[in-house]
Amino acid sequence: MPATQAHAATCTTYFVSASGGSDSNDGCSAGTPWQSIAKLNATTFTAGNQILFQDGGSWTGELQPQGSGASGNPITVSSYGSGAAPILNGAGAAATVLLKDQQYWTIQNLEITNTTGSAAVRSGIQLENDTSGIFNGIHIVNNNIHNVLGSWTNVQPSRSAAIAFDVTDNNTTSGWNDVLVQGNTLAHDDAAAVYIGSLQGLNHNINTTNVVINNNTITDAGGNDIVCVFCASPLIENNVATDSGYRYSGAGLWSGWTTNAVWQNNEVARQYRKLYDGQAFDIDNNTTGTVIQYNWTHDNPFGSVEWCCRSGFGGKSSVVRYNVSQNDGTDNAVYPTMEGVDSNSFAQVYNNTIYMGEGDNGKVTNGTPNSPVTFSNNLIYKLGNGGYSTTNTTWSHNLFYGNHPASEPTDPAKITSDPLLVSPGAGGMGRSSASVYELQAGSPALGAGTLISGNGGQDYFGNPVSSSTAPNIGAYNGAAVAGPTATSGAYWPLEEGTGTKTADISGGNNNGTLQAGASWTTGKVGAGAVNLTGASNSWVDVPTTAVDTSGSYSVSAWVKPNSLTGNQTYASTDGSSISPFYLQLTGGKFAFTTRSSDSTGSTATQVLGLAPTTGTWYQLTGVYDNSAHTIALYVNGALQGSTAFSSPWKANGHTTIGRAKWNGGNVDFVNGAIDDVRLTPKALTAREAYALGTGAAGYYQLDEGSGQTVTNLLVGNTANGYTEGHATWAGSGKIGSNSLSLDGTSGTMAVVPSTVIDTGQSYSVSAWVKPNTVSGGNQTFASVTGFDVSPFYLQLSGGKFTFATRSSDSTSSTGTSVAATSSATAGTWYHLLGIYDSSAHTISLYVNGTLQGSTSFSSGWTAVGPTLIGAAMWDLGPVDFANAQIDDVHFYNRTLTSTEISQLAAG
């Protein structure tokens, strides 16, 4: 409550200046401003009053002005002058701005924070309704609310959020009307960004009406992003919420005890969880008529949309349509917890586009709904290994492309051919980036859907959806678009296994076609490879120039020769007369050959490698460095040689896999198998060539130095990762130019929304680490997550480096560990390597290349969840946050040889 008895306002507009004001002034002009919050708290304001804080000023304490406005004539709190927005800092108060049992207020254009030494129940802007009635006209617009150190314990965060609306649990009839939360920037706020509800969150009448929450930008909310409880027909649209959920449970955007909520045109990315939920959207208990449409969700490990919670306490009559999801659901499913679809109801999921890249091994659907769920016209592009839960579901006119597990639903009208998306997997920040999921000419999804009654009238992109003409399959209902222009760089996994097309999944759009004599066979990396016979019609044509050969470039491939005779070129580019380079077999040896000009009379420069044997897989990498003017050849990651070359030239012809060009004709046809071909528009370093050549499943150099992206060098194997919390770049590292710097605080880590390795088989994981401290709790430097726990922890525990495993995905499972023989020292770089050998049934730990010990372990299990650098999972949430620098992290789906172990530890 205010410190003194409030007095009535005497002016229309009140000015407040921290530097030039005085509470002895009348406050009625910019020339005679008040100074303190206490003065405002002792005043009862009336309809039409304005309270204006001077730009550039700062105030500490809780602002609790008295009075209410009137319909069409609110009381406004805002700013005046020029410069930075005025700062109101609650400094640990229950709220920075508190309005209790008041109405018709507009709060705008302020910077608000509320932080102190420890978390507690506190808010940035707190609205309280302790009556049995309805309060109206609360508008919160264009504020910057950050670093609110709230808490979420045994109650809902309706009094612990950046913007919190709380109704008393003493009755069922209280509520709000005409709520507008618009254009605010909300960052680093706990436990939620926007929360409308009550502490118990149960059993109120649905009395909160005319709620609009739009155009807000939310970053790093501790738990929930936007929640509306007890709301009738709220509209939540055009919001962007990223990097939330690392300190408390909760989904991104959700409602409970709510009718006819519309959630549309929002973007939710990188949502996580401390314990439960973690999805981008949640259709929660006692909701009816929820519509989730036109949203862009990506990189959310726990899913895109969930239903909560169970029969009799779930979501009813919900519609999920025309949304685009990319790399969601790694740790569970894109649509998990379908058991939250309530009894005696239904759910419709139609015309959504779902992309799950390599390593996104979560399911598409999970759980058994209590009422039927229909899936219609959905486009599912799935490269990961996850399946489907299909009990009490029906499927009609869906397109399934990529991996086809045994659990793929029965759909009499299903399509399984390539949907010809513009550039699947290449979406980024911003809803417009989902245009990579539009359909190219010839797509089998065009006009192939079934009519849906009440379809909303438009697609994700704003194109009309007819009520009488069959729609496209997926979230795009427009006409066919032109294919994208090819760009430099390409990666062909050669995993298709059927047909004649092979996709460049790097985003470069350099797609290829198998010629008549080429076929599919078993691969070295993944399931597939291309099989070539040495005949003149047995090769793969890519009708684009995938790399500029006048600058630095690298070319690599896995190859298995059937014959060692003659010249056989595994990858090349066509010039007019000849090829500029030949990654090849010649004279019985592997070679990387370049030519000085587009002429048969040009000078050849060559690096020779080892002599292979037939029937054996080898990895070849050729590198041209335009700065050093050298070419180099690596075989299985080992440098074969390097030599000077300073006469590159740009070829503009087709890219070829399995042949080259000489004197204007096709030559050097391969007799053997080729897999995993890459053309990279840069000179790979020796370290990069080593990771590629030794078949690493993931290699994170951590040399980015800026931004939030953590790049997997092995592009296409898995999605790139991202940093969270207080993660920064150290400015230097053990290997290369940089390293990841972590401070051990909750939520500070790097997350890769893919399962990089299969922990049910042999695997190896290594990292360079420099602990900032060796005391305190566990610090995990690298891990993969299960649903409940991590299968392994490469960590510091009790002052010693340790490799620990769990026997199953449960906190009650048996733990097995190997510890270093001596304690670690803070501030020193160490190379750590943990190995699980599924054949020998052992785990081993190496520190700086020296074996610390091995012990029996025979209970490896396959985790399906994101990969973490700097943390692990325990009891459903992230733990063991590292206080260290981490550099050069490798993951392998096999054990390593003694030579490889020494090479990694040598740096």
Side-chain angles (χ1 to χ4, degrees), residues 157-232:
S158 58
R159 294 183 186 172
S160 197
I163 301 171
F165 288 76
D166 180 65
V167 292
T168 177
D169 285 305
N170 293 330
N171 61 67
T172 62
T173 60
S174 54
W176 305 92
N177 175 58
D178 183 19
V179 171
L180 175 65
V181 179
Q182 177 176 284
N184 300 284
T185 299
L186 311 172
H188 317 302
D189 297 315
D190 285 343
V194 180
Y195 198 101
I196 301 175
S198 76
L199 292 176
Q200 296 303 315
L202 300 169
N203 302 321
H204 277 262
N205 294 342
I206 299 174
N207 284 337
T208 294
T209 54
N210 295 309
V211 174
V212 175
I213 304 174
N214 65 6
N215 290 296
N216 300 285
T217 300
I218 300 167
T219 304
D220 188 31
N224 305 295
D225 298 312
I226 299 173
V227 181
C228 203
V229 185
F230 318 129
C231 298

Side-chain angles (χ1 to χ4, degrees), residues 129-466:
N129 184 345
D130 288 337
T131 74
S132 59
I134 306 297
F135 287 118
N136 304 281
I138 302 297
H139 295 180
I140 301 173
V141 180
N142 295 334
N143 300 285
N144 175 11
I145 308 176
H146 62 90
N147 297 99
V148 174
L149 190 57
S151 176
W152 187 356
T153 52
N154 297 320
V155 296
Q156 296 296 308
S158 58
R159 294 183 186 172
S160 197
I163 301 171
F165 288 76
D166 180 65
V167 292
T168 177
D169 285 305
N170 293 330
N171 61 67
T172 62
T173 60
S174 54
W176 305 92
N177 175 58
D178 183 19
V179 171
L180 175 65
V181 179
Q182 177 176 284
N184 300 284
T185 299
L186 311 172
H188 317 302
D189 297 315
D190 285 343
V194 180
Y195 198 101
I196 301 175
S198 76
L199 292 176
Q200 296 303 315
L202 300 169
N203 302 321
H204 277 262
N205 294 342
I206 299 174
N207 284 337
T208 294
T209 54
N210 295 309
V211 174
V212 175
I213 304 174
N214 65 6
N215 290 296
N216 300 285
T217 300
I218 300 167
T219 304
D220 188 31
N224 305 295
D225 298 312
I226 299 173
V227 181
C228 203
V229 185
F230 318 129
C231 298
S233 303
L235 175 63
I236 301 92
E237 62 180 355
N238 302 315
N239 301 285
V240 177
T242 59
D243 305 295
S244 296
Y246 285 84
R247 293 177 295 281
Y248 298 94
S249 293
L253 280 63
W254 63 274
S255 58
W257 295 87
T258 288
T259 57
N260 303 319
V262 175
W263 305 79
Q264 63 183 18
N265 301 313
N266 302 287
E267 177 177 10
V268 184
R270 303 184 293 274
Q271 182 78 24
Y272 211 77
R273 71 176 188 200
K274 181 64 176 176
L275 187 61
Y276 299 115
D277 299 319
Q279 293 73 28
F281 290 92
D282 171 16
I283 303 171
D284 213 286
N285 72 88
N286 287 284
T287 59
T288 303
T290 303
V291 176
I292 296 177
Q293 60 186 9
Y294 319 135
N295 299 289
W296 168 225
T297 65
H298 56 99
D299 305 302
N300 299 289
F302 301 97
S304 179
V305 179
E306 73 159 334
W307 289 262
C308 182
C309 300
R310 62 186 181 274
S311 178
F313 194 72
K316 300 178 183 294
S317 60
S318 55
V319 174
V320 179
R321 64 187 178 196
Y322 287 103
N323 304 286
V324 183
S325 165
Q326 176 180 287
N327 291 329
D328 291 326
T330 312
D331 197 77
N332 191 336
V334 178
Y335 302 125
T337 63
M338 291 196 301
E339 63 271 17
V341 176
D342 211 341
S343 304
N344 303 312
S345 186
F346 67 88
Q348 291 178 287
V349 181
Y350 62 87
N351 282 102
N352 301 284
T353 294
I354 297 167
Y355 173 86
M356 305 176 76
E358 296 279 352
D360 186 347
N361 295 324
K363 290 183 173 182
V364 178
T365 57
N366 198 20
T368 301
N370 299 289
S371 296
V373 180
T374 59
F375 291 86
S376 307
N377 302 341
N378 298 290
L379 194 161
I380 302 169
Y381 193 115
K382 189 173 74 64
L383 303 180
N385 298 325
Y388 301 77
S389 295
T390 58
T391 302
N392 210 13
T393 65
T394 58
W395 299 74
S396 175
H397 292 79
N398 300 280
L399 187 151
F400 304 88
Y401 180 71
N403 191 305
H404 299 281
S407 59
E408 184 172 285
T410 299
D411 181 343
K414 76 165 59 176
I415 295 173
T416 58
S417 52
D418 189 342
L420 298 180
L421 299 168
V422 169
S423 188
M429 285 303 300
R431 286 187 69 255
S432 63
S433 73
S435 61
V436 298
Y437 294 100
E438 294 179 346
L439 303 173
Q440 298 183 55
S443 170
L446 291 165
T450 185
L451 284 171
I452 306 291
S453 177
N455 57 33
Q458 68 176 47
D459 72 357
Y460 174 94
F461 302 92
N463 298 304
V465 177
S466 172

